[in-house]
Amino acid sequence: MEREKYIRVPKNKKAMEDYDYGIETEEQMEDMILSEEQYSKLHETRVFDIINDRCDIIIDEYEEEVLELDKIPIALEVVTQLINDNKNEDLIRLKEMLNLALAYQTIVGFDF
């Protein structure tokens, strides 16, 4: 059975707190759900490796990681550059998720 991977953005501060405690509801979150194939294609772009390096975090297949609000502009810069080099649709969606987190003033959770 294929295991889906989630990139989540809480819609507000309360949703962010609930996410921290693992009690968030579907209505509180914006979700990007990745299949194994989508994750593999994103991984091939090295987006997670570069974000990890630039933002000093560890996004990988077997971890849950949070990209804090102050690091999101750095991640946006990385994703934007990769979109210019690679027309992966999931990179475009990842950029949308990062922009949502900025708009909501929250975080981005990587639940792989």
Side-chain angles (χ1 to χ4, degrees), residues 60-75:
D60 73 18
E61 190 167 4
Y62 303 104
E63 299 285 333
E64 291 184 7
E65 184 64 79
V66 170
L67 183 63
E68 298 293 340
L69 182 60
D70 64 328
K71 304 284 183 153
I72 292 172
I74 298 167

Side-chain angles (χ1 to χ4, degrees), residues 21-36:
Y21 290 112
I23 58 171
E24 75 278 358
T25 63
E26 191 175 309
E27 297 80 31
Q28 292 177 297
M29 308 298 283
E30 296 282 352
D31 288 335
M32 177 180 175
I33 304 170
L34 299 172
S35 67
E36 290 288 340

Side-chain angles (χ1 to χ4, degrees), residues 86-98:
N86 178 339
K87 296 301 178 206
N88 180 313
E89 288 296 317
D90 291 315
L91 280 173
I92 294 167
R93 179 73 177 124
L94 177 56
K95 182 177 179 178
E96 291 170 2
M97 296 296 283
L98 293 167

Side-chain angles (χ1 to χ4, degrees), residues 19-20 39 45 48 57 68:
Y19 176 78
D20 284 344
Y39 174 81
T45 68
F48 303 123
I57 62 173
E68 298 293 340

Side-chain angles (χ1 to χ4, degrees), residues 96-112:
E96 291 170 2
M97 296 296 283
L98 293 167
N99 280 321
L100 279 174
L102 282 178
Y104 294 143
Q105 292 290 287
T106 60
I107 58 167
V108 180
F110 296 87
D111 300 329
F112 295 164

Side-chain angles (χ1 to χ4, degrees), residues 38-59:
Q38 288 171 298
Y39 174 81
S40 291
K41 287 181 180 181
L42 267 181
H43 187 68
E44 287 172 13
T45 68
R46 299 197 62 246
V47 65
F48 303 123
D49 295 332
I50 298 167
I51 290 172
N52 286 342
D53 184 54
R54 300 268 316 272
C55 296
D56 195 30
I57 62 173
I58 303 172
I59 302 167

